[in-house]
Amino acid sequence: MTRLTSVARSLVTTVAALVAWTAVSPAAGAAPGAPKEFVALRAVDPTIIQEMRYPHEHNFMGEPVDGYDQPLCILTRPAAQALHRAQTKLLRQGYSLKVYDCYRPQRAVDHFVRWAKDLDDEKMKAEFYPLVNKSRLFADGYIAEKSGHSRGSTMDLTLVRLPAVPTRPYRPGQRLVPCYAPQAQRFPDNSIDMGTGFDCFDTLAHTDDPRITGVQRTNRDLLRDALTAVGFVNLPEEWWHFTYQPETFPDRYFDFPVAWRSVAGHR
């Protein structure tokens, strides 16, 4: 009887420990959620247009990117709130912001790296990097093993004149046109003319490239001025790339998936 009681007591203790571990541990295989400092941009400002490129095939790889489970912009809350302030002013001028990419999980960056090392895969070269040898993507700084996007306060965006006309969907296999071609020739985008398309691996995409003049220069300056006024800093090599400062997570790189479930309940 004593032995049975001892065994029962041991079993109860083991079960209790297992229950306690389960209560504080994620389920096996469960994807990690975002810290509470992250929020879906739509919850802060639903008027900002979202044309997320990496969950779909129209990007420099020509395939959906790992980690983008849904076409959703996720940002740290201060960055999203700053975008809202910029949007409020731009709406009064007849424009809207449009985001192409926001928080980017590390697994997506890893996917970029694997693609860049596969020198045989150049199906999107004619549009996104027609003048760049793919073997130079790392050396020239177009691809890196870490991205500021993974810290949550960086986004890629442009401006759309209102009322916005929907962008025609990309059709896989369609004829590709260089991203630096005249706006009427390159892939149709409802944004104003910035001189190149988004993710154009070319020096013409440098924000202050002297070849960008006239309306294109005015448009780039309009975007940059609107964002720097609320705390963003532009990456000089990409007219579309901005980081809100000070960053909420200046030294952390996250890997939770881009999905509503990652920010469920965050307001």
Side-chain angles (χ1 to χ4, degrees):
M1 187 70 172
T2 301
R3 174 177 168 75
L4 184 59
T5 301
S6 177
V7 171
R9 185 179 300 112
S10 177
L11 181 60
V12 169
T13 300
T14 300
V15 171
L18 181 61
V19 169
W21 179 87
T22 303
V24 298
S25 302
K36 60 180 176 59
E37 291 86 354
F38 283 84
V39 65
L41 176 61
R42 193 162 288 134
V44 175
D45 192 325
T47 71
I48 296 176
I49 300 168
Q50 299 191 26
E51 187 181 309
M52 312 303 289
R53 289 291 183 88
Y54 297 142
H56 307 294
E57 294 175 301
H58 188 220
N59 57 65
F60 59 85
M61 298 199 308
E63 63 187 36
V65 181
D66 290 353
Y68 287 88
D69 294 358
Q70 293 174 309
L72 177 69
C73 175
I74 294 175
L75 291 168
T76 54
R77 185 174 286 103
Q81 292 170 338
L83 278 190
H84 169 65
R85 293 194 294 273
Q87 175 77 344
T88 299
K89 295 180 181 179
L90 286 164
L91 288 175
R92 290 197 289 265
Q93 300 175 56
Y95 296 94
S96 172
L97 291 167
K98 180 174 78 170
V99 290
Y100 295 113
D101 190 39
C102 299
Y103 158 74
R104 180 184 305 163
Q106 181 61 44
R107 70 192 76 180
V109 179
D110 296 342
H111 194 178
F112 290 173
V113 170
R114 292 195 304 273
W115 167 82
K117 292 179 178 179
D118 181 2
L119 300 184
D120 293 327
D121 183 355
E122 293 190 326
K123 60 179 173 286
M124 301 301 284
K125 178 178 175 63
E127 178 176 351
F128 291 95
Y129 53 108
L131 300 180
V132 179
N133 190 305
K134 192 175 181 182
S135 65
R136 295 284 308 171
L137 292 182
F138 288 103
D140 291 349
Y142 293 112
I143 301 292
E145 295 186 351
K146 292 289 185 181
S147 169
H149 282 271
S150 301
R151 299 195 297 263
S153 295
T154 294
M155 72 263 356
D156 298 329
L157 71 174
T158 187
L159 288 174
V160 174
R161 189 181 297 277
L162 298 174
V165 177
T167 297
R168 174 178 63 75
Y170 169 73
R171 298 187 300 272
Q174 70 181 51
R175 187 177 73 87
L176 301 178
V177 177
C179 55
Y180 51 72
Q183 186 181 37
Q185 298 176 24
R186 60 182 184 258
F187 179 80
D189 187 316
N190 62 0
S191 70
I192 58 179
D193 187 6
M194 296 293 188
T196 76
F198 166 61
D199 260 357
C200 189
F201 295 179
D202 190 273
T203 55
L204 200 63
H206 292 189
T207 308
D208 289 319
D209 188 287
R211 293 168 292 176
I212 298 298
T213 59
V215 173
Q216 296 172 343
R217 166 56 50 204
T218 298
N219 290 342
R220 288 192 186 188
D221 289 345
L222 176 61
L223 175 65
R224 180 168 53 183
D225 291 348
L227 293 176
T228 56
V230 294
F232 288 93
V233 175
N234 174 241
L235 179 68
E237 292 77 19
E238 299 176 349
W239 61 257
W240 55 81
H241 180 117
F242 289 84
T243 299
Y244 180 72
Q245 295 185 353
E247 293 186 63
T248 304
F249 297 104
D251 302 308
R252 292 181 63 184
Y253 297 82
F254 296 93
D255 193 39
F256 58 85
V258 177
W260 280 106
R261 67 182 182 277
S262 295
V263 290
H266 294 200
R267 294 289 180 181

